[in-house]
Amino acid sequence: MDAYLTGLGKARERGLDVSAIHSVASFFVSRVDTETGRRLDAIGTPEALRARGKAALANARLGYQAYEEVFGSADGWRQPSGRWAALHQAGANTQRPLWASTGVKDPSRPDTLYVTGLVAPGTVNTMPEATLDAVADHGEITGDTVSGTYELSGFHAAVHWDNVCSVPSGWLTAGVSTPSSVLAYLKGVPPEMARLPRCRPSNCKHRTSWAPGVVCVSSHGPWGSVRRREVRQMPAR
């Protein structure tokens, strides 16, 4: 996405028509589960086997979260970045996420998994013919299945990163046992801080508080009203 925006910026500087430029950002899906599944099978523990088949959707959904952070969400809840807003005003087209490799390789999983599980506004899904036929025959499209899944997706991605890439162990003894605490641990936030109500960087009303070594633990009520505001210095790890 950064390369796309940089290219658009250069095109605009040269007087080119940015409205004539189109692009997609490809995310490979099934091969993520293929690789993590192979390694989880090698680990062989009940916990590892239960974690099979979750990494691909989690990875793609987090990719869509990154897309929304740049281009904004379709419902307007997440605003686009200032950099994109300026280019969009000049006529630039959104770079759409493209789900590639969406044929399910594991016969124990639904053959439409990487289609029905990745329904979101503005996306492209390049299905192989067998998957296209399966979706037409018995696929159940129930609406957006990506937005709102980011914290849980982050948890699954973190677990698979641990299994596949050997992130340091000892999480449970460090108090890391929930999705928010897994994400916090990876970001260097102590577990006791992760359990506090916190703003998300995307909707925090106190964006100036988001700086290295500082965590905003404000809590928002209905319609963005602030129930509590507290900014703490994170203790050294």
Side-chain angles (χ1 to χ4, degrees):
M1 289 182 288
D2 182 69
Y4 178 60
L5 297 186
T6 298
L8 286 175
K10 290 182 178 180
R12 185 184 180 191
E13 289 174 358
R14 295 174 184 175
L16 300 178
D17 179 9
V18 292
S19 68
I21 301 173
H22 299 268
S23 176
V24 295
S26 297
F27 290 83
F28 288 93
V29 184
S30 65
R31 61 189 62 183
V32 175
D33 271 344
T34 299
E35 179 60 22
T36 57
R38 181 181 67 81
R39 300 195 185 196
L40 290 168
D41 285 344
I43 294 171
T45 64
E47 293 77 13
L49 296 179
R50 283 196 296 270
R52 293 183 85 260
K54 294 183 173 64
L57 287 181
N59 183 64
R61 287 167 172 170
L62 291 176
Y64 191 79
Q65 180 186 30
Y67 157 81
E68 287 191 325
E69 289 173 352
V70 173
F71 298 104
S73 59
D75 61 5
W77 183 83
R78 190 188 299 270
Q79 295 300 307
S81 68
R83 185 183 180 193
W84 166 245
L87 290 167
H88 183 57
Q89 189 173 9
N93 297 290
T94 301
Q95 183 185 47
R96 295 188 292 172
L98 182 148
W99 312 131
S101 182
T102 54
V104 178
K105 309 296 191 296
D106 185 347
S108 68
R109 308 291 288 175
D111 56 1
T112 61
L113 178 65
Y114 303 134
V115 178
T116 59
L118 291 174
V119 178
T123 57
V124 179
N125 194 311
T126 55
M127 292 171 266
E129 186 174 0
T131 303
L132 182 63
D133 290 341
V135 173
D137 179 63
H138 53 268
E140 296 183 7
I141 308 299
T142 58
D144 189 340
T145 54
V146 176
S147 302
T149 67
Y150 305 137
E151 184 176 11
L152 183 59
S153 295
F155 175 66
H156 288 314
V159 169
H160 284 80
W161 187 268
D162 183 38
N163 286 319
V164 175
C165 302
S166 301
V167 168
S169 60
W171 286 13
L172 291 178
T173 56
V176 181
S177 58
T178 65
S180 59
S181 60
V182 168
L183 293 174
Y185 187 87
L186 292 178
K187 295 176 182 177
V189 181
E192 64 273 14
M193 298 289 286
R195 286 190 287 268
L196 293 169
R198 294 167 55 205
C199 296
R200 296 179 182 179
S202 60
N203 68 0
C204 182
K205 308 299 182 183
H206 325 114
R207 290 174 184 251
T208 55
S209 302
W210 289 86
V214 175
V215 60
C216 178
V217 293
S218 303
S219 175
H220 291 294
W223 308 106
S225 60
V226 178
R227 289 176 177 164
R228 180 170 65 89
R229 178 182 181 183
E230 187 174 356
V231 179
R232 299 187 184 182
Q233 186 74 28
M234 286 169 25
R237 288 177 60 82

